[in-house]
């Protein structure tokens, strides 16, 4: 079950990367518009929350309180995702709203994410959910999943840092102006 979970996680990250890099950063530059900066902040928080979630569910042999910590992180992520959906209409009004293509990408990415996380939790034996469970024979993700997950942690952390940096006026203005120059040159 952990393999299926991991494959779904990879698919989520691929679709999410298209959404984040193309729609959010390149096409709409959410970080550069005052009305969409809160949405960009919420995306940044979600990227940051993904780092310890991947660590707890795909690298460490989490059990007991670690599983509840992972569940807490996923719950916070879900709250942030709902907040994102609630503000998206206002956030995108001046940009023409959310297109059908981007809406579809959001639905697919979030569905893949929730399926991956659900299966990761379900891959742990029931006794691992006991708070005082501390077995030396704990569930341990396969080495390939652990290794690839560590790579994902670093790339996700890099993306989160980039998102947070773009919230700073110095970086958002510089990156936004660079994009405007590149766009006008390609016309």
């Amino acid at each position: 079950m952990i393999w299926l979970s991991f494959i779904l996680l990879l698919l989520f990250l691929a679709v999410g990367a298209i959404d984040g890099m193309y729609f959010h950063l390149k096409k709409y530059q959410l970080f550069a518009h005052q009305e969409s900066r809160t949405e960009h902040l919420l995306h940044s928080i979600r990227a940051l929350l993904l780092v310890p979630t991947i660590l707890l569910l795909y690298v460490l042999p989490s059990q007991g309180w670690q599983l509840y910590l992972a569940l807490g992180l996923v719950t916070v992520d879900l709250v942030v995702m709902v907040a994102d959906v609630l503000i998206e209409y206002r956030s995108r009004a001046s940009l023409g709203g959310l297109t059908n293509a981007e809406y579809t990408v959001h639905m697919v990415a979030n569905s893949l994410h929730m399926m991956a996380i659900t299966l990761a939790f379900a891959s742990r034996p029931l006794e691992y959910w006991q708070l005082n469970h501390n077995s030396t024979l704990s569930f341990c993700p396969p080495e390939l999943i652990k290794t690839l997950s560590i790579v994902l942690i670093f790339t996700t952390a890099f993306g989160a840092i980039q998102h947070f940096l773009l919230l700073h006026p110095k970086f958002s203005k510089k990156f936004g102006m660079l994009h405007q120059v590149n766009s006008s040159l390609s016309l």
Side-chain angles (χ1 to χ4, degrees):
M1 197 172 333
I2 193 68
W3 276 104
L4 179 56
S5 171
F6 188 71
I7 290 167
L8 291 169
L9 177 73
L10 292 175
L11 291 172
F12 153 67
L13 290 169
V15 174
I18 292 167
D19 183 41
M21 292 189 314
Y22 175 69
F23 286 115
H24 299 176
L25 297 180
K26 183 175 176 17
K27 185 173 182 180
Y28 297 115
Q29 293 187 3
L30 299 180
F31 60 89
H33 305 282
Q34 189 59 40
E35 64 274 9
S36 59
R37 288 177 65 77
T38 300
E39 181 183 352
H40 182 80
L41 173 63
L42 293 173
H43 297 162
S44 305
I45 293 168
R46 290 196 74 201
L48 187 63
L49 288 168
L50 193 55
V51 171
T53 302
I54 292 173
L55 178 69
L56 289 166
L57 294 179
Y58 297 97
V59 177
L60 300 177
S62 299
Q63 54 187 314
W65 68 269
Q66 292 171 324
L67 284 177
Y68 286 99
L69 176 59
L71 185 60
L73 291 167
V74 170
T75 301
V76 171
D77 178 61
L78 186 58
V79 169
V80 174
M81 180 179 69
V82 169
D84 179 36
V85 169
L86 292 175
I87 68 158
E88 225 159 25
Y89 179 76
R90 269 184 294 125
S91 174
R92 302 295 185 91
S94 68
L95 300 171
L98 198 65
T99 64
N100 286 339
E102 190 178 3
Y103 180 75
T104 302
V105 166
H106 286 182
M107 294 300 294
V108 170
N110 287 320
S111 296
L112 289 168
H113 183 205
M114 289 303 135
M115 289 188 296
I117 296 299
T118 300
L119 289 174
F121 283 128
S123 70
R124 287 350 193 248
L126 195 54
E127 62 268 13
Y128 283 43
W129 286 92
Q130 296 172 4
L131 278 176
N132 60 354
H133 189 268
N134 191 10
S135 171
T136 55
L137 300 174
S138 61
F139 167 86
C140 195
E143 285 302 315
L144 182 57
I145 288 177
K146 287 169 43 174
T147 302
L148 293 174
S149 294
I150 291 168
V151 172
L152 293 176
I153 286 169
F154 282 105
T155 56
T156 303
F158 177 78
I161 291 167
Q162 176 193 33
H163 268 66
F164 279 107
L165 285 175
L166 287 172
L167 286 168
H168 190 281
K170 176 184 172 183
F171 294 107
S172 64
K173 184 176 180 182
K174 184 176 180 177
F175 186 78
M177 289 176 66
L178 179 63
H179 178 71
Q180 289 172 354
V181 169
N182 289 338
S183 295
S184 64
L185 291 175
S186 65
L187 295 176

